[in-house]
Amino acid sequence: MKKILSILMVLTMVFSLAACGAKDTEPSGGGKTGNDKAGSDTTGKDTETSEPSGPAENKGKKLVVWTFTDEIEKMINEYYLRHNPDLGYEIEIVVIPNDQYQQKLDPVLGSGKSAPDVFALEAAFVKKYVNSDFTKDLKTLGIAPKADETLQYVLDTVTDESGSLKGMSWQATPGAFFYRRSLAKKYLGVSEPEEVQGLLSDFDQFYEAAKTVNDKSGGETKLVSSLGDLQNVFLASRENGWVVDNKFVIDPKAEELLEIGKKLESEGLTNQAEQWTESWFASMSNDQVMGYFLPTWGLHYVLKSNAVNANTGESTSGDWGMIQGPSPYFWGGTWLTVREGTKMEKAAVDLINYIALNKDFLTEYAKNSGDFLAHQSVVESIKDSYSEEFLAGQNHYAKFAEMAPSIDASILTGSDLDINNLFAEQLTAYSKGEKDKETALADFKAGVQSAFPNLDY
């Protein structure tokens, strides 16, 4: 539930560097020196090579971990400490709500006082910290996943502009389209995943299906709840991110989203219930909405948690199916990084190696939590054992394993959180007819220019 609250906080917001200097130094802040870069067999990039020095022995008595999600707290308390009862030092876990996380993290990283030794990063702002002097090159500490061990997009996301690996994650978060089988059968004439995917394989088909569902239900059921549901999917399919070589770029896919959003809204094809609102959650237990774009964690923390109707007590559990939908995408994800200047290098390395690369832990954790892993050999060993009752017995894990290699994270930038929020404002205004497309795009560019005046426009 804490994760849901974290998600809610970050998403209800109207959506802070590489050289490894001498050990035990305070972070310098800003800019990269380009030193200590180890060669990378996992990033696919040409980089300088040097033998990793390995982590320094701990000089502190406590490992401090900052996170915005209770997942890491549980992994440490329920697994790491149980398997490592004689660490010889204390682990202090600080969970900070997502909407306050960067505001609290930036000052302590800047001053080096009361700063965490290990801290979590989320997809929407991971690049900001990866491309900074506050995070260590993990390969100089001996953390080096094998080329075929961790999904490439997971590594690319935490690889800085000069090719240094700055973080690791245990999870991958490919996105899917979850749909109600009974509603699909009633209004589209099919219910099995392969059949439904055949009707929703691109956004032209998606639009036609949205019209069909609306027409045949007399407007009582919509294919999707809101335009916000589509934003992650469209933006993930862009060729260019918002910032390329310091220049602000509006990719044609963003304009396509404006257009389909306008059609869906003007024709009354959405349920007018924005993400993370009470009505958005409520439709997961009634017949107002047929489907939701959600990633791996959405199944366990969003759909399952809201499947029971508060008025009738009836549940939609067992009536859901899962497909890729119109386009591959990923949504969210959590990475762990080591602060430059930490006095607990060895403890930090041991923790990250355990959480991201220990096969025994990962296997146990995945079986207990259902979380989808970034570790490909572990995924391969467990993926065929799943049969998800909530999805009428569908093996969602094997399906996610098919989807994950298609993810491209190269378009992520450190400014995504703020720019995505500014774009969402204009998407809403244009789709609801409050302004024309040219004005919406001009207002979007003006908003970004005000927030990021150092970019080229």
Side-chain angles (χ1 to χ4, degrees), residues 387-431:
S387 176
E388 176 54 61
E389 184 178 348
F390 188 84
L391 301 175
Q394 185 178 2
N395 185 341
H396 65 300
Y397 217 91
K399 191 64 181 176
F400 279 133
E402 292 177 17
M403 298 175 180
S406 299
I407 296 173
D408 179 3
S410 62
I411 59 172
L412 290 180
T413 76
S415 309
D416 284 352
L417 179 61
D418 296 313
I419 298 179
N420 286 347
N421 289 336
L422 291 167
F423 181 76
E425 292 177 12
Q426 300 306 322
L427 171 62
T428 298
Y430 174 60
S431 64

Side-chain angles (χ1 to χ4, degrees), residues 174-212:
F177 183 70
F178 295 88
Y179 67 93
R180 290 275 305 283
R181 290 172 182 263
S182 60
L183 297 177
K185 185 67 175 181
K186 188 174 182 179
Y187 301 125
L188 297 177
V190 295
S191 61
E192 291 301 310
E194 295 79 10
E195 299 171 318
V196 177
Q197 176 65 35
L199 297 177
L200 302 174
S201 61
D202 58 46
F203 276 104
D204 288 334
Q205 287 189 320
F206 191 87
Y207 168 66
E208 293 299 326
K211 291 197 299 184
T212 300

Side-chain angles (χ1 to χ4, degrees), residues 55-56 58 63-65 80 89 91 116-119 136 138 141 143 336-339 342-355:
N58 302 322
L63 180 72
V64 179
V65 180
Y80 189 62
Y89 50 84
I91 299 182
D117 302 292
V118 173
F119 56 100
K136 284 191 79 74
L138 297 188
L141 301 179
I143 298 178
L336 289 174
T337 189
V338 179
R339 177 179 62 88
T342 175
K343 295 181 179 179
M344 296 292 286
E345 274 192 1
K346 187 176 185 308
V349 168
D350 288 347
L351 177 64
I352 291 178
N353 266 327
Y354 177 86
I355 288 178

